[in-house]
Amino acid sequence: MKQSLVVATAVSSFFVTATTAFGFSGQAQAFSFSGISNGTWGVPTPGSLDTNPTFTGVGTNTFTWGEASAPSTLPNKLIFDGSSFSGNTDSAFKIGELKYFNETVLKGTSVEFVPLNLNLSLSSPVGINQAFDFDFRLVNTPNIATNPPEANADFVFLDTNLSYKTFTFAGDKYTLELIGFNPDVPQFSIQALEGGTTTTSVYARIKTIPEPTTIVGLSLLGIYLISRRKSFNF
């Protein structure tokens, strides 16, 4: 029994030391940044029921979709306005403003997803320009006259998955993550009543990407914890 305890102690010392060394060697350094953003909409993806998708604005900051149901109405519209920003890595900051106009359009003329090509131009540290791609899901509900207005509202959902693109500063890698429409609580969708408009800020953070050595260090820590638990099962 004592021999197991001695071995466990030796193993624990080795793994804690190794994990600490790997963790520190792979840890990205935080930095302060400032810059300006802008965004353009990409080619949308129709849904399975969108037999006649209608849209405009690819390559611009204003995207419309759906065929207006009457001459007096307009198609749905999204406008993304970039903004200046500043902050620290892994902290929330406003990256732009989204305007959503919800109109009444003909069935089968909508789209389901539209990508936003979001460009980050950093003035501090200077010389870093990188574009990131994010998807927005557009939910157009059927309008039923007997429903209350809220039941006929349409929605825009934000895909908050990390972009696969990265940039390097001072030898460390970073990426951009959209965190929603509220910096304090999770909010990943907005809605607008028929004929209504919703305007909201979009928040993001520049996120550090762990180096392989950090991942190895975490793996070593897991192995150590398992071995330590087994060592004390007398």
Side-chain angles (χ1 to χ4, degrees):
M1 304 302 180
K2 293 182 178 180
Q3 184 178 7
S4 298
L5 181 60
V6 172
V7 172
T9 304
V11 170
S12 67
S13 299
F14 166 75
F15 278 113
V16 169
T17 304
T19 302
T20 304
F22 277 118
F24 279 114
S25 64
Q27 186 176 5
Q29 297 299 313
F31 68 92
S32 299
F33 57 83
S34 61
I36 190 168
S37 68
N38 64 79
T40 58
W41 300 102
V43 178
T45 301
S48 59
L49 300 179
D50 299 323
T51 56
N52 184 32
T54 304
F55 55 89
T56 68
V58 173
T60 74
N61 76 322
T62 301
F63 178 75
T64 72
W65 72 99
E67 183 179 341
S69 60
S72 60
T73 61
L74 297 171
N76 298 312
K77 184 188 297 183
L78 280 177
I79 300 175
F80 180 83
D81 291 320
S83 63
S84 58
F85 56 82
S86 62
N88 300 312
T89 50
D90 299 309
S91 298
F93 63 93
K94 178 182 174 181
I95 200 168
E97 189 172 80
L98 186 70
K99 297 178 182 178
Y100 174 34
F101 301 86
N102 180 21
E103 297 289 350
T104 303
V105 299
L106 296 178
K107 183 179 179 180
T109 65
S110 294
V111 297
E112 188 172 5
F113 293 94
V114 61
L116 179 67
N117 184 262
L118 188 53
N119 185 74
L120 217 63
S121 179
L122 297 181
S123 55
S124 176
V126 68
I128 296 177
N129 291 277
Q130 180 67 64
F132 303 87
D133 298 316
F134 298 95
D135 278 337
F136 285 73
R137 184 186 178 201
L138 313 174
V139 177
N140 302 283
T141 59
N143 296 321
I144 300 174
T146 56
N147 281 345
E150 292 77 12
N152 291 331
D154 292 348
F155 298 83
V156 174
F157 287 85
L158 172 63
D159 182 359
T160 57
N161 290 327
L162 280 175
S163 175
Y164 65 90
K165 295 182 179 178
T166 64
F167 66 90
T168 301
F169 172 68
D172 294 318
K173 287 186 177 182
Y174 302 87
T175 191
L176 182 70
E177 179 184 29
L178 297 187
I179 61 173
F181 302 113
N182 189 316
D184 301 317
V185 297
Q187 183 187 344
F188 307 122
S189 67
I190 56 173
Q191 70 174 33
L193 301 179
E194 289 298 319
T197 301
T198 295
T199 301
T200 184
S201 297
V202 181
Y203 293 89
R205 62 183 166 210
I206 292 179
K207 188 174 180 67
T208 56
I209 302 297
E211 291 297 322
T213 50
T214 302
I215 298 173
V216 171
L218 292 175
S219 299
L220 286 174
L221 179 59
I223 295 171
Y224 154 65
L225 291 175
I226 293 172
S227 65
R228 185 172 184 272
R229 182 177 181 181
K230 289 182 178 179
S231 297
F232 284 96
N233 287 332
F234 300 128

